[in-house]
Structures are given as C-alpha cells and as structure tokens.
C-alpha cells in the first residue's frame, strides 16, 4: 500500500512527496531529485554538465549559466537535507568536447565546498564518451548496477540486476503530457514507478524529455509549480 506525506522542499515552501517503494520511504523532490532518508542519500540523474558548452562548441547559440544553475540547486538540497552520499545515476558529463575550462572550474569550486561529501557516479552512456570526471572531483565511479538493498542503482532502466532488487535509474528523462480544456498541452517532468523499475527525471537544466504514458500499475508523480503531485 502506498503511503504519502508532504514535506517542505529545499526551496523553502515547496512540498516534496514521500512514497513507499520496495518497502523504503523515498522523498520525491521538486528540484528533480530523490532523497532516501534512511541512508541519508541524495540521488540525481542526468545532470549533463557541459551540454550547453558542447552545443556552443558546435556553433549553436545556446544559453550560458546552466552549470551554475544546476550546482545552485544541488547546494539548496545539500543545505536542506542531511546527506552523506550524493549519487549521480549516470550522465554527469555530457560530452568530451563539453569539458570546458569554465565548467570544470565551477565543478572543482563546488566540490571544494562539499569536500566531506561522498560522491558516487554510476557510469552512464554519456560518461562513456565524455570520460570519467577529473580526479580532483573525488568521485567514486561505479559500473551499473550498484547494489544498495533493496535497490539496484543504475543509469539504464533495462540494466540486468539480480532477482529481488528494485531498479532506480535515469537515462529516459521521463515527462508526462497533460491536456487542458482548450486543447492545449503541457509536458512536465515526472517520476515514474513501475513494478520493478523507477525512473527519475533529468536533473540537468538543459536536457530534453521523453514522454511516458499512464498504464495499469504505473505510478506517476509530476513536477510543476515547485511541487510534486501524484497523477490519478
């Protein structure tokens, strides 16, 4: 049976949502992250640091400031929740040619502010091409699945995991399209929980989304207006 309870999010007033997954209470945060209180673990998927820089390197006019925005949201979460481990569920860095001097300097400065924090990266498909993070970022890099019972922490939702584990993954960037009374449509990032696999929304501020759909047995939790709310 699902149990839900509102909590105040990191932005100071934005409610998170606590749900039961595989017998563990997980907090779904409107900052597009997940908090596992029993383990003091914060999980984020698909930060894609350097994606904007990679596009600019190809001559595309995309905005600056996405790295700073992503790191500022992480700072808010680390200030709001007691976190021992920060786990990136893959795609920390977007591409090798997105590893700009400025982006890496911002990451090093952020890491220095949180030197005592244990950071773990579950290597994703973009990490395979971008390369592991620089040593000075002091991140433990793992191949999927990283087993943290009852969960298998992965990047790819279809990763092979041992029987009895519930997969938490990223990669898909799930979003739900909602229809309004005037035939307008709005696509919002969401958390998606099936019987054996849960998907986190992309944490990165400059990432696309992939539409997921309602179906029997699937629990969807949409992020909108700094709130996480359950979809009937």
């Amino acid at each position: 049976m699902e149990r839900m309870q509102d909590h105040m999010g990191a932005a100071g007033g934005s409610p998170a949502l606590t749900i039961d997954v595989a017998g563990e209470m997980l907090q779904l945060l409107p900052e597009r992250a997940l908090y596992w209180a029993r383990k003091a673990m914060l999980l984020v998927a698909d930060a894609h640091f350097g994606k904007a820089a990679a596009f600019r390197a190809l001559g595309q006019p995309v905005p600056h400031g996405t790295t700073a925005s992503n790191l500022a949201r992480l700072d808010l979460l680390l200030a709001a929740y007691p976190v021992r481990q920060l786990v990136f569920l893959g795609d920390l860095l977007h591409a090798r040619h997105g590893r700009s001097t400025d982006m890496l300097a911002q990451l090093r400065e952020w890491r220095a502010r949180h030197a005592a924090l244990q950071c773990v990266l579950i290597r994703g498909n973009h990490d395979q091409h971008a390369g592991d993070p620089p040593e000075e970022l002091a991140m433990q890099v793992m191949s999927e699945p990283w087993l943290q019972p009852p969960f298998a922490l992965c990047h790819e939702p279809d990763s092979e995991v041992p029987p009895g584990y519930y997969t938490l993954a990223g990669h898909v960037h799930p979003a739900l399209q909602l229809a309004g009374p005037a035939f307008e449509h709005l696509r919002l990032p969401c958390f998606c929980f099936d019987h054996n696999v849960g998907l986190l929304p992309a944490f990165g501020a400059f990432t696309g989304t992939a539409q997921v759909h309602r179906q029997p047995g699937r629990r969807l939790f949409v992020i909108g207006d700094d709130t996480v709310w359950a979809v009937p």
Side-chain angles (χ1 to χ4, degrees):
M1 180 177 179
E2 185 173 289
R3 290 173 288 165
M4 299 184 186
Q5 181 179 357
D6 286 341
H7 293 267
M8 304 315 288
S14 53
L17 194 64
T18 300
I19 67 169
D20 186 330
V21 179
E24 293 285 338
M25 303 309 292
L26 303 179
Q27 293 184 39
L28 313 182
L29 309 180
E31 294 80 9
R32 301 197 296 278
L34 184 153
Y35 182 62
W36 185 6
R38 186 175 69 81
K39 299 278 283 188
M41 181 185 290
L42 181 69
L43 296 97
V44 300
D46 302 277
H48 286 275
F49 287 115
K51 183 172 183 178
F55 273 71
R56 287 194 296 272
L58 298 174
Q60 301 295 327
V62 297
H64 292 261
T66 55
T67 296
S69 171
N70 291 337
L71 292 176
R73 281 190 294 125
L74 276 179
D75 282 339
L76 283 172
L77 290 168
L78 294 173
Y81 297 91
V83 178
R84 287 195 300 267
Q85 286 184 320
L86 171 60
V87 179
F88 294 93
L89 297 180
D91 290 0
L92 175 74
L93 302 176
H94 180 70
R96 191 172 296 276
H97 51 281
R99 297 168 68 119
S100 69
T101 300
D102 179 62
M103 184 271 289
L104 291 175
Q106 290 183 69
L107 289 179
R108 285 193 294 269
E109 181 183 336
W110 174 86
R111 189 67 175 105
R113 295 199 306 271
H114 303 284
L117 178 67
Q118 182 183 359
C119 291
V120 179
L121 168 63
I122 312 299
R123 195 182 282 116
N125 58 302
H126 278 267
D127 300 303
Q128 302 285 351
H129 299 290
D132 289 345
E135 289 186 9
E136 57 266 33
L137 294 184
M139 291 194 179
Q140 181 182 4
V141 181
M142 308 290 292
S143 297
E144 58 186 356
W146 188 40
L147 302 181
Q148 297 291 301
F151 299 116
L153 305 184
C154 303
H155 176 64
E156 302 270 1
D158 57 355
S159 296
E160 186 173 341
V161 303
Y165 283 86
Y166 188 97
T167 297
L168 293 176
H171 183 60
V172 175
H173 306 188
L176 182 68
Q177 184 164 287
L178 304 176
F183 302 102
E184 73 273 25
H185 292 88
L186 180 65
R187 182 177 289 193
L188 296 175
C190 69
F191 297 87
C192 176
F193 293 93
D194 289 326
H195 180 65
N196 291 317
V197 177
L199 297 176
L200 276 66
F203 183 80
F206 188 60
T207 55
T209 59
Q211 186 175 348
V212 296
H213 302 277
R214 297 177 177 90
Q215 63 184 46
R218 171 171 288 176
R219 295 183 292 168
L220 295 172
F221 303 91
V222 167
I223 301 168
D225 197 21
D226 294 325
T227 303
V228 180
W229 44 278
V231 176

